[in-house]
Amino acid sequence: MKKKGLSMLLVLMVLMAVVSACGSSGSSSSSDKETNQAPAVKSEGNSDTAEPKASGEEVTLTYAMWDSNQAKGLQTIVDEFEKENPGIKVKIEVTGWSDYWTMLEAGATGGSLPDVFWMHSNEIYRYASNDMLLDLSDRIKNSQKVEMDKFPTGLTQIYNFEGKQYAIPKDFDTIGLWYNKTMFDEAKLAYPNENWTWDDLYKAAKALTKNGKYGILTPFHNQEGYYNFVYQNDGTIITADKKSGYDDPNTIEALKYYINFIREGLSPEVYGDSERAEAMQNGLAAMGFFGSWNLSGFTANEYMAKNFDVAPLPKGKKQATIFNGLGNAIAHNTKHPEEAWKFVEYLSSKEGQFRQAELGIAISAYDGAAEQWVSSNTTFHVKAFVDMVKYAVIRPYSNTTAVWEDKAYEALKPAFTGQQTVEEAAKNAAKIMNESLATEK
Amino acid sequence: MTNARANRISKSMLNEWYWGWFLVAPTIVGLIILNIIPIGQTLYMSFFKSGDFGKGNLFVGFDNYRKLLSDDQVWHAVKNTLLYAVMVVPTSIVIALIAAVLMNGKLRGKSLYRTIYFIPMIAAPAAVTMVWRWLYNTKFGLINYGLSKLGLGPVDWTTDPNVALVSIAIIGIWSVVGYNMVLLLAGLQEIPRDYYEASEIDGAGKLRQFVVVTVPLLSPALFFVLVTSIIQAMQVFDVIYMMIDIQNPAYDNTVSLVYLFYNNSFKYSNKGYGSAIVMLLLAIIMIITVIQMRAQKKWVKYM
């Protein structure tokens, strides 16, 4: 009897355990991979979560985002918006980057998307092509406040699907060359400037590498790493007709230059995201590449604030930096489309965009607002990020970016560890990426 | 006559049945809704090329399974998962058994030790992994610092393909020992003192007592711990997910089946293929468990 009971129990446990693996892994992965991010889900602002009544007295919108660094500043904007628009409340909900998309997908599948939320170039296709987002085209046309031509075309284009505008750019980000002033001073080298070339970078890296310190950090990272160099060398990651650019000779040449820093021992081999920041914050490497979104984290870091500054990326055959921008989108099935639009309209208006820049939340995409942002940070010469916009290249994307980006990572890995030549790895990456792109709709 | 008697019996039986079903109903309902139905849905899903947001699923028959068979990464994951289980399960059970026997004896501050051993079980895996990541850090980690004091070179705990899985197994062992220990401790306390007294009179020493009394009488508890540990080990995910990115050179040597399932289902939005991977995991666990159920006749002794 006892034995039978035990075996029954075990069978049930097997079933339960296996299936709960499917069920829970989505949600149990709650904590973010990036160390410096806030708790996975954090809601700020109004304690007033009461559902709006049919009377139309008060409407509560949810505004979902993934960057806790921006949430505080945006709360200020929300507060101001609420003051001007009595009857509309906005509740900010922050979820870490990787869980954000799991959350959003579950919301889209179950019909419970947040009213207003951030969109990204990697994901826009899926949401737009499946009608998950509210088409904003007509509303933009009729709006007095939103002028699409005040935003960089590349950015508005990301969120335009089959002629319909599904999101409005909120901000943009570029990649800068961060350098350790103290280490440069010790080596009696001049600081990097906007006229630097690849040769200058190489020479400085060489001069700075000594006593167990590295001159530069060339991490295994695309957007904050080799993508920039590929475009500086006239190479490409994805061509206009959706083919991989990894077998382009210029791309390979750029990768060789980039990986050579590791081979010559001028850069440590770094793979993880948090390890990259660590290497800078511990004075292990004198130069590194980081996006403008790291700014608040770096400003808060005592060592970085004291020793570091930022310059534009060096010039290869031409100047280039990867830039990208997220957009504000509205759910297709929001209960309050008018109120949600009012909020997005405000965020995208000249007033809202300048306010965002002034508060230092992010580099506002609106024409001229970026200068406001520059003066919000006095710790570093952040103007470099804005100066680079004129030659910035949109982060390469297609309909299934998340898939082929990872495939390319896997294929390029042996080149970074030195198990394969750069040429072989890059050609392999091109092959795998093309296979993946071929299955794209 | 006979009819009346049958009636009477069935009445009391019926009553018992009603109560029986009534009492297990919450569990059964929970199981069906949360487990049995999802298993069916996962199986169903594994025959489809999933569309976005649950719309436009396309029936593809066994395509996902065919792809599975030719996917190197899946077989890496099977190997890694099994290897992880082989490293974690025996080690953790042996340590847990030793700890349980010690805790069961006369020891000062027993309950304090029990608490300490159990703490890793309560801590959130994500938080635990963050702490271990710092310990393992190549340049600034405590472990490598200790090694350097001993005159040993630094070890790339999380990026060396030959070491990373061991590092993960160490965390796995560390987290599960306390839980196994509590289960074994419960088993130990079920063993009547009489057996020990009898064997002592017969002249058995401590070690012999352990072999002929403790282990056989503990075998049901050991069996339970063994089966659940293997199942748990086969599902390893959190630690690897937290510690190993796709860029990590040790990725191929550490990726587990559940991690692969997660990546395919949620990162690449290919739920059909993800489901097929989970069905493979289910099959593997089922096979291992069936073998264990058969083998238990040989070594598990129920009192």
Side-chain angles (χ1 to χ4, degrees), chain B residues 56-95:
Chain B
N57 289 347
L58 208 71
F59 184 77
V60 291
F62 282 93
D63 270 13
N64 284 328
Y65 290 95
R66 241 171 259 138
K67 186 175 161 202
L68 193 85
L69 290 175
S70 60
D71 189 343
D72 282 347
Q73 211 162 47
V74 170
W75 300 109
H76 282 159
V78 170
K79 197 185 115 206
N80 295 335
T81 309
L82 289 173
L83 209 59
Y84 174 83
V86 167
M87 280 194 277
V88 169
V89 175
T91 323
S92 68
I93 292 182
V94 168
I95 297 174

Side-chain angles (χ1 to χ4, degrees), chain B residues 202-220:
Chain B
D202 290 343
K206 283 275 175 225
L207 192 67
R208 183 142 176 83
Q209 270 185 351
F210 180 75
V211 176
V212 299
V213 180
T214 310
V215 171
L217 292 178
L218 194 60
S219 58

